[in-house]
């Protein structure tokens, strides 16, 4: 039908134990400036391990900290905001030099960020931002423009799906997470006024492959007219492909798919013709994060917002890019 185009709250103790990268004996002051010997300790609270993107992001942060000689206290929140809050409080108690985190959801951070500010510990947001009226609670936000990613997905949809009736299933990311909210908004803005494109079902698959499969199965049962998918990440798109094939349909043909991330498995599915278009979201933020941390700890000015540069991939471009894809 389509034109063919191409910690468990990283329990506080654990946050500084088993998963810590490097020793937990930072010996640093915690009020900026690093240790007396110039060493820097960063407390980092990660969302979890929900996707291929997240795994690549964690690896990038751990490798970059080691390269920069920054001692990393790494805590995995296993997708729970309360675990992130516990980890941040623990970092404050330990008086780390800088705290960085990728907020699992957008709201509910003001109190703990205020605690960090009162303790004189600078905070860097990475990957995802917070929804707060007080932007003095953090030094800088390093990450993608998720609205723009959704817009790029929607623009491709308008160009490639807009001339025939298209019934879209939207697989949303984690409820309340910035990339889920923003990618939904960007896509909706881009398709607005295109009568042929309708989002007929929209539900969270929590950014996981299992979630994508489960939600897609249910959507195909209740909406047999679905002939397109917009997945907020590759993992959910890959789960949706399994559900589409199990329903006896051909992903990429009977049901076309747009996704976000461009991790290796997603790019392979794009090259194989099972996904039709991917908007890149770059997880390799570690190097920039360590540079920003060094500046912030030294008391240097940093931009309030650092946006990651990203591209998009068609099936042909995926075939070309795959051999050199780093993640
Ligand atoms: O915040 C970035 C998003 O989180 C990625 O797009 C998704 O795969 C991850 O889980």
């Amino acid at each position: 039908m389509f034109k063919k185009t191409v910690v468990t709250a990283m329990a506080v103790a654990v946050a500084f134990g088993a998963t810590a990268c490097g020793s937990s004996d930072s010996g640093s002051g915690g009020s900026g400036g690093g240790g007396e010997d110039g060493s820097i300790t960063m407390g980092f609270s990660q969302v979890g391990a929900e996707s291929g993107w997240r795994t690549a992001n964690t690896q990038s942060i751990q490798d970059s900290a080691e390269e920069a000689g920054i001692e990393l206290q790494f805590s995995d929140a296993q997708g729970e905001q309360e675990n992130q809050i516990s980890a941040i409080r623990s970092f404050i108690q330990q008086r780390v030099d800088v705290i960085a985190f990728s907020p699992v959801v957008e709201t509910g951070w003001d109190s703990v960020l205020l605690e960090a500010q009162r303790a004189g510990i600078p905070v860097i947001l990475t990957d995802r931002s917070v929804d707060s009226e007080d932007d003095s609670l953090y030094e800088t936000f390093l990450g993608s423009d998720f609205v723009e990613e959704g817009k790029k997905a929607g623009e491709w949809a308008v160009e490639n799906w807009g001339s025939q009736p298209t019934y879209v299933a939207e697989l949303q990311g984690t409820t309340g997470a910035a990339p889920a909210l923003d990618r939904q908004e960007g896509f909706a803005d881009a398709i607005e006024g295109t009568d042929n494109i309708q989002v007929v079902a929209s539900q969270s698959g929590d950014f996981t492959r299992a979630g994508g499969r489960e939600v897609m199965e249910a959507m195909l049962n209740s909406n047999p007219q679905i002939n397109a998918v917009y997945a907020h990440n590759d993992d959910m798109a890959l789960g949706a492909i399994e559900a589409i094939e199990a329903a006896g349909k051909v992903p990429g043909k009977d049901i076309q798919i747009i996704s976000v991330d461009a991790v290796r498995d997603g790019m392979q599915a794009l090259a194989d013709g099972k996904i039709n278009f991917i908007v890149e979201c770059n997880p390799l933020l570690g190097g920039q994060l360590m540079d920003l941390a060094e500046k912030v700890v030294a008391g240097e000015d940093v931009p309030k917002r650092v946006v990651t540069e990203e591209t998009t991939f068609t099936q042909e471009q995926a075939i070309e890019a795959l051999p050199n894809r780093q993640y």
Side-chain angles (χ1 to χ4, degrees), residues 50-51 53-54 127-128 146 179 183 207 232-233 261 281:
E50 74 282 5
S51 62
W53 189 98
R54 190 64 55 198
D127 162 34
R128 301 179 181 179
F146 297 133
R183 287 174 188 163
F207 281 130
H232 289 188
N233 81 342
D261 276 355
C281 180

Side-chain angles (χ1 to χ4, degrees), residues 253-267:
K253 294 205 165 60
D254 299 333
I255 299 185
Q256 292 209 357
I257 303 176
I258 300 174
S259 170
V260 184
D261 276 355
V263 294
R264 195 188 300 280
D265 287 356
M267 292 286 274

Side-chain angles (χ1 to χ4, degrees), residues 8-74:
T8 318
M10 215 29 238
V12 172
V14 179
F16 292 95
T19 58
C21 175
S23 114
S24 61
D25 179 17
S26 75
S28 37
S31 53
E36 278 165 21
D37 56 355
S39 64
I40 295 176
T41 299
M42 170 187 283
F44 184 87
S45 171
Q46 180 60 288
V47 168
E50 74 282 5
S51 62
W53 189 98
R54 190 64 55 198
T55 306
N57 180 247
T58 294
Q59 193 65 54
S60 165
I61 286 160
Q62 292 179 333
D63 290 350
S64 303
E66 201 176 329
E67 268 162 41
I70 291 180
E71 188 180 303
L72 186 68
Q73 303 290 353
F74 183 87

Side-chain angles (χ1 to χ4, degrees), residues 7-16 19 42-47 73-78 80-96 98-102 109 112-113 115-116 121 123:
V7 192
T8 318
M10 215 29 238
V12 172
V14 179
F16 292 95
T19 58
M42 170 187 283
F44 184 87
S45 171
Q46 180 60 288
V47 168
Q73 303 290 353
F74 183 87
S75 170
D76 176 343
Q78 301 187 355
E80 299 294 334
Q81 181 175 31
E82 65 189 58
N83 294 348
Q84 287 201 298
I85 291 174
S86 300
I88 293 169
R89 291 213 164 105
S90 176
F91 296 146
I92 295 170
Q93 256 181 358
Q94 297 284 324
R95 302 196 61 74
V96 298
V98 57
I99 293 171
F101 78 114
S102 172
W109 300 102
V112 74
L113 291 179
E115 289 168 38
I121 301 176
V123 172

